[in-house]
Amino acid sequence: MGEGGLNVAMSHDEMHRAAFLEEAAELLGELEEALLELESRPQDADLVNRVFRAMHTLKGSGAMFGFEDVAAFAHEVETVFDKVRCGLITVGKELLDLNLAARDHVKHLLECARQGTPPDTDKGDAILAGLARISPPKAPPPEREGAGAGLPEIPAIPEEPKKLGEILLEKGDLDPQALSAALAGQKRLGQVLVEAGLVASEKVEAALAEQTLARELRDAREQKDKGEQKQGEASIRVAAEKLDWLVNLVGELVIVQSQISQIGAGSGNAAFVSLAEQLERLSGELRDSTLGIRMLPIGATFNKFRRLVRDLSAELGKEIELVTRGEETELDKTVIERISDPLVHLLRNAIDHGVETPAERLALGKDAKGTIELTAEHEGSEVVIRVKDDGAGIDPAKVRAKAVERGLIAQHDGLSRNEILGLIFAPGFSTADKVSSVSGRGVGMDVVKRAIEALRGQVEIDSAPGQGSVVAIRLPLTLAIIDGLQVLAGDEYYVLPLSLVEECVELARDAGDAESGKQIVNLRGKIVSYVRLRDCFAIPGEPPAIEQLIVVSSEGRRVGLVVDHVIGEHQTVIKSLGPLYRDLPGLAGATVRGDGRMALIVDISGLLKSVDRPGS
Amino acid sequence: MDETQKKQDAELMQLVTFSIGDEEFGVDILKVQEIIRMMEITRVPRAPDFVEGVINLRGKVIPIIDLRKRFGLVSRGHDKHTRIIVIEINAMIVGFVVDSVSEVLRIPSSTVEPPPPVVSGMESEYISGVGKLEDRLLILLDLDRLLSHEERETLLSQL
C-alpha cells in the first residue's frame, strides 16, 4: 500500500550523500558550539581539538561523497586550526570570528551542493585570506599531507623494547633497590642540557610545557574516542518518516485495544477480560515508549541561539550573555523543529528592544552586561519555555497608547494590566519607536502567537518597566495524543483538551437567562460567561433540562462551554481531519472512540474566537 | 506480457460503474481503493455543505461527499444498495456516497467520446467523456476535478 511504504527509490549514492549532509549538519552544529565555548575558554585544548576534528571529518567525508569544494575549503581551515593545536597561533577573537564565518561558508557550500546552485566563492576566498593573515608565515610544522591528509596526530604507542633496567632486573643481575638508587641519582635530559649550557632553562621549561599539553591532548582525545565509540554503539540513526509511521500504527493499535477492552468488559468472559487487560497494559507501554522515541532534548535548539545572541548583540553594540537552563527537557521532534522560529523572534525582540546599551544600563545602575535567560522545564503535562531578559521591560501605558492609536482598543476601554500586555500579540502591533534591521516592523508577536497556537501551545507575557520582560510558552509534550474530556451534545460526541478544563458544574436551564440573550452565570461569586456547544455547532434537538457547564481557561480568561453530558476522560489519539476541513474554526481534529464511532476534538480558543467575532 | 497484449490493455479502459438516480457513471478503477457498505457518518459542524462528514475506516478519518447532493439531485435515504466508493484524489482519500455500485467494465477507449458541451444539469468540467455501450451511455467522471473545483470554491468563500 502506497502510504505505508517508505520511499526507497533513492539510489545508494544519493542515500550516502543525504547521510553525509545530515552528518555535516550535526558537525556544523558541534563546530559552532565548540567555537563559541572556545570564546570563553580559549585555553581549553579539548575544545581546540573538537573544532579540528569537526573540520577534519567534514573534509574527509566531503571528499568521499564528492563535495570537493567543501573538502578543499575545510582543509584550509583545518590547517590553520592544526597550528592552533600546536600552539603556533593563539585563540583570539579574530580567529574565532573567521572560523565562525568559515563554518557558515561550509554550510553555504553544502546548501549550494544540495540545490545545485553555484556557491559564492568570493566569500570563501576572503575568509581564507583572513586566515592566511593571522596564521604565521612560516611553513606549518610537521607536514602530514603524505600520510593520510592531515589525520589528527595520534602519537603511536609502539611496542617499546624493554628498558635496560627491566632486563637486568628480570635476569636477576640487579636488585630493585640498587636500581632505584642509581636512577634517583640520574639527571633528567633538560637538566643535563641546561648545565652543559646548550639550551637556556626557559626554553626547556617551554618545551616541557608543550610536552605536557600534548600529553593532555592525547589523553583527552583517547577518552573522547572511547566515549564516542560507546555512543555509536548505543544509538542508531532512523529516518523520521519511519518513526512517524510507527507512531501512527501505535495510535491505531491503541484504538483497537480500547475497542477490545470495551467488548471484554461487556462480555462477562473472565479469560477474555484478563487478556484485554494485558493488552491494555502492553499497548499503553508501547505507546509511551514509542512516543518517547520521538522526544528530543531541547538543548540542541538552545545552542543554536548562542550564535544568534553573540552576533546580534555585537551588531547592536550591546553586551548580552545568554544563560540557558533545562537543556535536557524533552519535547516531541515536530514541536522542537517548529518552536525554533518563534524563539528566534522572541530572542531578537529581547536583544533589540529589551536589553539596553551598556551606557544606558550603567546610567540606570544596572550591570553593563545584560542577561537573557532561556529556560525549559516541565510543568504538569506541559513544557514551559521562558525567554527572560533584564532589560527595559514594557510600559503598559505605552502599549495602551499605541493600541488606541492603532485602533485596536477604544480610548476608554477598561483593561487589566495583563490584557494590555496581551495586546502585544495583536496583528500589526509594535511598540518600537524606531524600525531597526532586527525588529520593529510590527510583524512579530502575532506570528509567534500563531505558530505556538498551531502547536497547541499558549504564550503569555509579563513585564515590569525597567526590570525586564518574560515571555512564557506552554507546549504540550506531544502532538499525537492528548488527555481529553469526552462530552455529548445532542447525539454527537466531542472531546475537549483536558489541560484547559478547570471544572464541571451543572447548569439548570432556568439558571441561565437565554431570553435576555446574555449567557452568564454566577459561579461562586464570579461571573462566567458561557456559550452552548449546541449553538456553536448547530446541533439539532432540544437540550436536556440540566446541562453541564464546563469551565475552561483560554488565554487568561475563564469561559464556560455548555454541553448535554460529560462522558469522562479519554486518551485521545489525534487524527487530522484532512485538507478538506482545513481551517475549520473551532475544530482541531478527530479521534476514534472505543466503540469505533468518531468524536471531534474541539479547539477551544479557536471556537471562542469564532463566537466572539460576530458578537462584538 | 507481449507487445500486442500491452497494446490491447492500453486501449481498454477498466472502469468501476455505479448509478445515481437514473444515470450510470464510471470511474477509473486504478483510482478506486475500495468499495464499502454504508456506515455511520459523523457530521462535522461548520464544514462546507457538500461534505457529509467523516467516517472511521479502520482507524483512518475519511471525509465523505454525497455525490447525489453534489450533482444537485434530490437527496434520498440510504438503503441496502447504498455504497461508499473510497477514492484517492490528490494524495487525499475521500469517500463518495453513491446509490449503488454495478460492475467492473472493460471498454475500448475508442468508444469514449469527449463530453458534450452541456450535460443535463451537470457542469461538464467533471466529465472526462461519455462511453457508448451497446444499449446505454456511461458518463466518465473525473473526480480529481470535481474536488479541486469544490476546494477552490471553499477556499474562496473563506477568504
Side-chain angles (χ1 to χ4, degrees):
Chain A
M1 213 68 248
E3 48 183 351
L6 296 168
N7 182 16
V8 284
M10 258 192 213
S11 74
H12 273 279
D13 208 30
E14 281 173 52
M15 257 161 62
H16 286 147
R17 278 171 73 98
F20 166 69
L21 286 173
E22 210 169 296
E23 187 197 352
E26 263 171 38
L27 283 169
L28 288 173
E30 164 150 1
L31 188 61
E32 184 169 51
E33 204 182 310
L35 283 169
L36 292 171
E37 273 183 51
L38 206 51
E39 196 162 39
S40 48
R41 284 180 286 145
Q43 303 301 329
D44 195 326
D46 193 28
L47 286 175
V48 174
N49 236 19
R50 264 169 72 191
V51 174
F52 179 82
R53 288 161 52 95
M55 269 296 171
H56 180 73
T57 316
L58 273 175
K59 181 179 86 171
S61 341
M64 200 149 84
F65 297 112
F67 296 89
E68 273 86 12
D69 48 351
V70 174
F73 184 79
H75 171 69
E76 297 297 331
V77 182
E78 180 198 352
T79 313
V80 174
F81 244 82
D82 191 29
K83 289 178 192 169
V84 178
R85 292 202 323 160
C86 302
L88 289 170
I89 308 174
T90 48
V91 176
K93 185 161 167 27
E94 196 181 1
L95 177 82
L96 290 176
D97 280 344
L98 277 166
N99 271 291
L100 282 171
R103 175 225 167 247
D104 292 348
H105 187 65
V106 172
K107 198 173 165 199
H108 169 71
L109 288 176
L110 288 171
E111 201 55 42
C112 290
R114 191 200 307 251
Q115 294 169 354
T117 50
D120 175 5
T121 48
D122 293 354
K123 210 163 151 198
D125 292 344
I127 295 166
L128 290 182
L131 285 173
R133 216 172 33 243
I134 56 169
S135 108
K138 265 171 62 182
E143 200 40 76
R144 291 185 212 83
E145 283 313 287
L151 275 170
E153 187 179 28
I154 300 171
I157 309 167
E159 285 250 27
E160 281 175 65
K162 280 178 190 155
K163 287 180 180 154
L164 177 64
E166 283 168 359
I167 298 171
L168 287 173
L169 277 178
E170 265 173 34
K171 291 191 175 162
D173 294 339
L174 187 70
D175 78 285
Q177 272 138 29
L179 176 66
S180 334
L183 281 176
Q186 194 187 29
K187 284 175 184 167
R188 311 202 67 148
L189 176 64
Q191 219 175 336
V192 175
L193 289 173
V194 172
E195 275 171 20
L198 291 169
V199 189
S201 69
E202 308 88 73
K203 298 268 173 181
V204 173
E205 299 271 301
L208 279 174
E210 194 172 310
Q211 193 183 31
T212 320
L213 184 69
R215 272 203 196 118
E216 277 169 8
L217 276 182
R218 186 189 61 191
D219 292 349
R221 186 159 50 228
E222 275 166 6
Q223 247 172 6
K224 182 144 194 199
D225 282 350
K226 264 187 222 153
E228 267 174 16
Q229 242 168 7
K230 250 187 227 154
Q231 254 180 12
E233 283 160 15
S235 69
I236 53 165
R237 202 183 284 269
V238 180
E241 230 181 352
K242 288 186 185 173
L243 275 188
D244 291 345
W245 182 236
L246 183 64
V247 171
N248 231 333
L249 284 177
V250 171
E252 281 175 36
L253 182 73
V254 169
I255 292 167
V256 173
Q257 171 266 312
S258 64
Q259 285 169 5
I260 288 180
S261 295
Q262 207 163 35
I263 293 171
S267 72
N269 181 335
F272 188 84
V273 170
S274 126
L275 277 175
E277 276 170 6
Q278 279 188 44
L279 182 65
E280 186 171 346
R281 182 176 54 78
L282 280 174
S283 58
E285 278 175 28
L286 182 62
R287 184 198 63 211
D288 290 349
S289 41
T290 309
L291 290 176
I293 296 175
R294 286 173 54 93
M295 304 295 259
L296 293 173
I298 200 166
T301 310
F302 279 8
N303 280 328
K304 273 200 311 200
F305 297 140
R306 292 192 179 283
R307 177 77 184 279
L308 175 89
V309 173
R310 175 189 187 273
D311 290 357
L312 209 57
S313 52
E315 187 189 316
L316 296 168
K318 296 180 180 180
E319 285 175 39
I320 297 173
E321 188 185 2
L322 179 69
V323 179
T324 57
R325 262 188 293 123
E327 285 98 337
E328 69 292 341
T329 311
E330 289 188 328
L331 269 172
D332 189 275
K333 190 178 127 301
T334 326
V335 180
I336 294 225
E337 279 164 7
R338 284 161 61 184
I339 197 65
S340 178
D341 283 351
L343 282 179
V344 167
H345 228 115
L346 293 176
L347 283 170
R348 278 167 176 268
N349 266 337
I351 297 166
D352 194 21
H353 306 313
V355 180
E356 313 91 332
T357 59
E360 281 168 357
R361 291 182 66 87
L362 287 175
L364 289 165
K366 289 184 184 176
D367 193 357
K369 195 172 202 174
T371 309
I372 293 179
E373 274 180 46
L374 188 57
T375 60
E377 61 184 332
H378 285 279
E379 268 183 25
S381 66
E382 292 178 327
V383 168
V384 184
I385 301 174
R386 288 195 176 84
V387 180
K388 184 178 171 199
D389 66 68
D390 63 350
I394 299 164
D395 185 357
K398 215 165 150 188
V399 172
R400 204 198 148 89
K402 195 85 171 184
V404 171
E405 182 194 316
R406 293 271 153 112
L408 295 171
I409 53 168
Q411 186 71 40
H412 305 291
D413 276 357
L415 294 173
S416 72
R417 188 171 148 274
N418 275 348
E419 281 172 318
I420 291 175
L421 286 176
L423 287 171
I424 286 174
F425 294 110
F429 186 93
S430 173
T431 50
D433 293 328
K434 55 176 185 277
V435 172
S436 73
S437 72
V438 183
S439 48
R441 291 205 178 79
V443 282
M445 294 306 259
D446 62 314
V447 178
V448 169
K449 187 179 164 117
R450 244 183 294 145
I452 286 161
E453 279 176 353
L455 293 170
R456 277 199 278 287
Q458 287 176 298
V459 58
E460 53 207 51
I461 188 164
D462 196 12
S463 178
Q467 286 168 32
S469 321
V470 52
V471 179
I473 298 171
R474 291 173 187 280
L475 293 167
L477 279 177
T478 169
L479 295 179
I481 295 182
I482 57 165
D483 277 325
L485 183 71
Q486 211 181 141
V487 300
L488 189 65
D491 54 0
E492 296 177 5
Y493 290 94
Y494 291 91
V495 174
L496 312 176
L498 196 59
S499 59
L500 298 180
V501 173
E502 292 198 340
E503 61 179 318
C504 301
V505 290
E506 287 186 349
L507 181 77
R509 180 91 68 84
D510 50 342
D513 24 21
E515 319 83 52
S516 68
K518 272 186 202 145
Q519 302 192 321
I520 46 174
V521 65
N522 184 339
L523 194 62
R524 292 190 301 276
K526 290 212 168 150
I527 301 295
V528 175
S529 65
Y530 63 86
V531 290
R532 274 203 174 73
L533 209 59
R534 278 175 170 276
D535 299 341
C536 301
F537 289 158
I539 298 164
E542 272 298 301
I546 295 176
E547 294 171 283
Q548 303 291 323
L549 176 76
I550 300 170
V551 180
V552 295
S553 69
S554 169
E555 296 173 17
R557 57 184 186 146
R558 281 156 55 91
V559 183
L561 263 182
V562 177
V563 300
D564 291 2
H565 300 284
V566 173
I567 313 280
E569 273 185 49
H570 182 245
Q571 273 279 334
T572 310
V573 181
I574 299 171
K575 297 195 171 273
S576 156
L577 281 171
L580 217 51
Y581 299 109
R582 193 175 31 214
D583 301 333
L584 269 192
L587 289 178
T591 187
V592 179
R593 283 161 33 84
D595 62 3
R597 294 179 62 181
M598 315 243 345
L600 298 172
I601 301 166
V602 180
D603 163 19
I604 292 183
S605 85
L607 178 74
L608 294 178
K609 236 174 262 166
S610 71
V611 174
D612 277 353
R613 214 167 289 146
S616 64
Chain B
M1 202 188 278
D2 61 41
E3 273 312 303
T4 46
Q5 178 74 45
K6 252 186 203 166
K7 215 172 165 192
Q8 265 182 6
D9 275 1
E11 285 169 2
L12 273 183
M13 298 176 76
Q14 274 203 67
L15 303 168
V16 174
T17 67
F18 56 89
S19 63
I20 295 170
D22 300 331
E23 309 268 14
E24 199 173 0
F25 298 87
V27 287
D28 186 354
I29 199 167
L30 291 177
K31 297 254 181 201
V32 177
Q33 283 212 338
E34 60 184 299
I35 296 164
I36 52 175
R37 285 174 189 281
M38 201 57 206
M39 56 196 289
E40 191 185 340
I41 298 178
T42 305
R43 188 184 73 100
V44 179
R46 302 174 168 197
D49 207 29
F50 63 95
V51 221
E52 281 285 282
V54 289
I55 58 164
N56 162 29
L57 183 62
R58 295 188 298 279
K60 281 196 191 63
V61 178
I62 295 174
I64 298 296
I65 291 175
D66 191 335
L67 272 188
R68 221 168 215 287
K69 224 185 228 175
R70 177 64 216 111
F71 292 152
L73 298 173
V74 183
S75 182
R76 51 158 239 207
H78 304 140
D79 58 25
K80 62 178 177 162
H81 298 295
T82 311
R83 293 286 183 279
I84 296 173
I85 303 183
V86 181
I87 288 177
E88 188 178 342
I89 296 176
N90 309 330
M92 187 164 85
I93 314 271
V94 181
F96 289 94
V97 180
V98 300
D99 286 358
S100 68
V101 171
S102 334
E103 59 186 330
V104 174
L105 263 188
R106 280 166 181 256
I107 59 169
S109 43
S110 55
T111 61
V112 176
E113 287 185 3
V118 178
V119 179
S120 57
M122 236 184 279
E123 291 143 276
S124 59
E125 65 180 289
Y126 323 131
I127 298 169
S128 55
V130 176
K132 282 181 296 185
L133 304 182
E134 278 168 22
D135 50 347
R136 58 197 203 271
L137 292 176
L138 189 66
I139 301 171
L140 271 53
L141 285 182
D142 184 348
L143 293 170
D144 278 357
R145 262 189 271 176
L146 174 88
L147 198 67
S148 58
H149 176 74
E150 285 299 343
E151 267 193 309
R152 269 203 307 276
E153 262 183 14
T154 312
L155 288 178
L156 281 177
S157 69
Q158 280 175 1
L159 281 178

